Amino acid sequence: MSGGLLVAGTTSDAGKSVVTAGICRWLVRQGVKVAPFKAQNMSLNSFVTREGAEIGRAQAMQAQACRVEPTAQMNPVLLKPGGEQSSQVVLLGKPVGEMSARGYHGGRQQRLLGTVLDCLAELRATYDAVICEGAGSPAEINLRRTDIVNMGIARGAGFPVLVVGDIDRGGVFASFFGTVALLAPEDQALVAGFLVNKFRGDVSLLEPGLEMLHGLTGRRTYGVLPFRHGLGIDEEDGLRVSLRGTVRESVVAPPVGEDVLRVAVCAVPLMSNFTDVDALAAEPGVVVRFVDRPEELADADLVIVPGTRGTVRALEWLRERGLADAIARRVAERRPVLGICGGFQLLGEHIEDDVESRAGHVDGLGLLPVRVRFAREKTLTRPVGEALGEHVEGYEIHHGVAEVTGGEPFLDGCRVGQTWGTHWHGSLESDGFRRAFLREVAAAAGRRFVPAPDTSFAALREEQLDRLGDLIDQHADTDALWRLIESGAPRGLPFIPPGAPA
């Protein structure tokens, strides 16, 4: 077998990432050597591969669905928004500069098509099948000329396209028809059919509509996936704790101790890698919520200041909202606070930033003995260490270089009393360390909370990926899907007018 598929969507968040991961897990369980691919991803949630390349977290999780190591070839272009008008461009895992949306779509993006097709060719030479994820909608006619992630990739690789629609939002039939009808004839010839996502109710009531859609477009529906809670893999930019849903919607595990532990995560601007808190939400008895008001910190046993693509901007936001003062009061009262990456940096004494915000010298919150200088080279590593007597693994993605001048060592950062800071993302996924950390937090908060002795974050992830594979196996026409991946789009698919404008 040697083939592939592009999973497109009628809209952003239609379920492309989840469906791609589900198809990958279904294929690998059939003995197929498969890899994920997304030519261009826009996300503040990223991951570091073993070779030190930065890619989107969704592609890293899709690689896990394939049971392979993620590589830069799986997500050759990553755009990390730094504001309303510009993004950092990460090419083959390394940042190559900031660019406005107009500048990127005005020429730079099209020049990258050769690079992304080369990466796809490398994967195709190595794997039996490559399952590609599109971005947004393939019918964004204003962007088609420079597209390198939807129909540009499908045309370049000759891949069939499966269009996913979220029926829970409504309007799925119009979205399916309109998506096809706004594509050029050459693009339409690759759109094989549709996949309905997040359906609630009796499928027999939907079937007449699917038959009419087939009559109108000449394209079949390859499956109707039922609505399931907690199936989101690592998010691109949605504010959702993905594994929390998996745990809470399956067997509800009561707290092991007498109390629950409340965690408040400050929803700072340009928040990045907020997936760090998924591991906390997976613990029975831990309640995680995102907050943006100081009064919401009052009953929290732990406050987390997460990573951000705009450290100085996040610092200003905390001060404007009154959250900075609330955090300072917590520290004075020796109540637990954890800063991760950008959140760690702004807890320090001062920041020298001529790279990210270009604000120069900025006073931090002064809650940790740390001075931060932003370097032009980005740190991209996969550190391993020990903290609280437990083995810890993580990954680092930051321009800020921290000079720690006091406190107790804590991973690469420090600890003063119950205030902790580190650049390590993903450290809480290390089960033994997470339990030790939660025990410290509970003791400091005066809570009779006890971490569950057997929660395995890695096992929960595998369970989640298997559930995605089950969805495809049980609710998609897998024989037809197999033929599509192996042989391409059916011949003779009709053109649906009007097509893309000239």
Side-chain angles (χ1 to χ4, degrees), residues 71-87:
T71 68
Q73 283 73 27
M74 296 173 183
N75 179 206
V77 181
L78 174 64
L79 305 178
K80 303 193 72 176
E84 295 297 326
Q85 299 294 330
S86 67
S87 294

Side-chain angles (χ1 to χ4, degrees), residues 8 62 71 146 178 181 210 240 254 318 478:
Q62 288 163 357
T71 68
T146 57
L210 300 178
R240 183 168 67 212
L318 289 171
T478 52

Side-chain angles (χ1 to χ4, degrees), residues 181 183-185 188 219 493-500:
L183 298 178
Q188 287 195 22
R219 290 158 174 85
L493 292 169
F495 171 71
I496 308 301

Side-chain angles (χ1 to χ4, degrees), residues 144-178:
R144 176 61 185 94
R145 182 177 61 84
T146 57
D147 170 51
I148 65 170
V149 64
N150 289 306
M151 300 314 299
I153 278 292
R155 287 267 290 274
F159 276 179
V161 178
L162 185 68
V163 180
V164 178
D166 180 355
I167 197 170
D168 197 49
R169 293 182 173 188
V172 74
F173 292 115
S175 298
F176 282 146
F177 183 89

Side-chain angles (χ1 to χ4, degrees), residues 317-388:
W317 181 85
L318 289 171
R319 286 174 168 144
E320 290 166 0
R321 294 272 178 152
L323 285 159
D325 289 338
I327 292 170
R329 286 193 295 272
R330 286 186 63 90
V331 171
E333 295 165 1
R334 297 182 64 82
R335 299 176 67 194
V337 174
L338 171 64
I340 302 174
C341 200
F344 164 45
Q345 295 168 6
L346 60 81
L347 291 178
E349 295 166 350
H350 71 252
I351 298 167
E352 195 69 36
D353 181 10
D354 295 317
V355 176
E356 191 175 78
S357 68
R358 298 181 176 86
H361 179 89
V362 177
D363 289 333
L365 297 184
L367 303 176
L368 286 175
V370 176
R371 300 168 184 170
V372 176
R373 174 185 56 82
F374 275 68
R376 298 204 174 274
E377 292 295 317
K378 182 184 282 191
T379 298
L380 296 167
T381 62
R382 291 271 293 270
V384 176
E386 185 176 297
L388 303 181

